[in-house]
Each structure stands twice: as C-alpha cells, then as structure tokens.
Amino acid sequence: MTFDLKGYRRALKRARLYRTGLSLTLAMGLALIWWIGGAAPLSKEQGRLWLSVREAQTHAMEWRKARGSSLSSVDDPWGYGLIGLEWSPLSTTLGSLPSRGPPAIPPGPWPPSDGSASSGL
C-alpha cells in the first residue's frame, strides 16, 4: 500500500478552507448578533439621570479632595469614593462567619473560647 501525498495535501487544504470558512461565518454571525442586539442608547430620562449621578459623584470627589480625605488611586481608580469602609460596625469584607455556613467556619468549637470571634476573625 502506498501513501498518496497529493491526495493528503488536497484533503488538508480542504480541511483548512472549511475551518477558515466556518470561523469567518461564525465571527460574522456573532458580529451581526452583537450589532443587532447591542445596547440601545440611553433614553432622554436615563441620560438626564446618568448626568445627574455623574455630577453628584464628581461633586463628592471634589469635596473629599478639599477635605484632604481622598482615597488612593489603587483603592479607588475612578476617584469617586464609593467603595465604602472595609471594616466598620456595619460592614466588613469577611462578613459573619456563622452566616456563611460550614465551609467558612474553621474546624473546632464555634464560637472559639479564646475570644477571636469578637475580633472579626
């Protein structure tokens, strides 16, 4: 049995053309879906609301800068100060461990007897 190199190359070329055509068709289809179903521009009312919110955010940012309490650009890249406190009596990034369920609760007795539950750990 001999190997048909020309036939193999033809089949390989056909497969490449098929994959290229399929990829282009899919890309054009996705572009069409994106174009047809894309985000519609804001209505007049939504545009007015968006502008008033941006104005309020800018005012809050300028007020914080005037007071000298602006946040770093790493913590608040947009500079609007809407990220909140990480640790406060009302909020924390950790949340309440008992309310998270078993995966978040460390092994052992809960609450710990060493008082670490009251320190937010």
Side-chain angles (χ1 to χ4, degrees):
M1 181 172 173
T2 61
F3 182 71
D4 182 17
L5 187 59
K6 287 183 182 180
Y8 175 74
R9 287 183 177 163
R10 261 182 286 173
L12 198 59
K13 189 175 183 178
R14 269 196 310 257
R16 272 193 222 125
L17 287 173
Y18 175 77
R19 281 193 311 248
T20 303
L22 183 63
S23 297
L24 287 173
T25 303
L26 287 174
M28 288 173 36
L30 287 173
L32 180 67
I33 290 171
W34 178 66
W35 182 70
I36 290 173
L42 298 176
S43 69
K44 202 174 220 182
E45 178 69 15
Q46 289 172 332
R48 188 186 62 75
L49 267 168
W50 184 82
L51 287 175
S52 67
V53 167
R54 291 298 265 181
E55 186 178 318
Q57 289 175 335
T58 303
H59 177 74
M61 176 186 61
E62 290 169 356
W63 178 74
R64 282 190 177 90
K65 283 184 179 176
R67 286 185 52 210
S69 65
S70 62
L71 299 164
S72 73
S73 61
V74 173
D75 294 332
D76 189 15
W78 294 100
Y80 292 118
L82 299 176
I83 60 170
L85 295 174
E86 184 176 5
W87 300 97
S88 76
L90 296 176
S91 67
T92 175
T93 56
L94 295 176
S96 170
L97 285 178
S99 68
R100 290 175 160 202
I105 298 173
W110 190 258
S113 56
D114 63 357
S116 62
S118 61
S119 67
L121 298 175

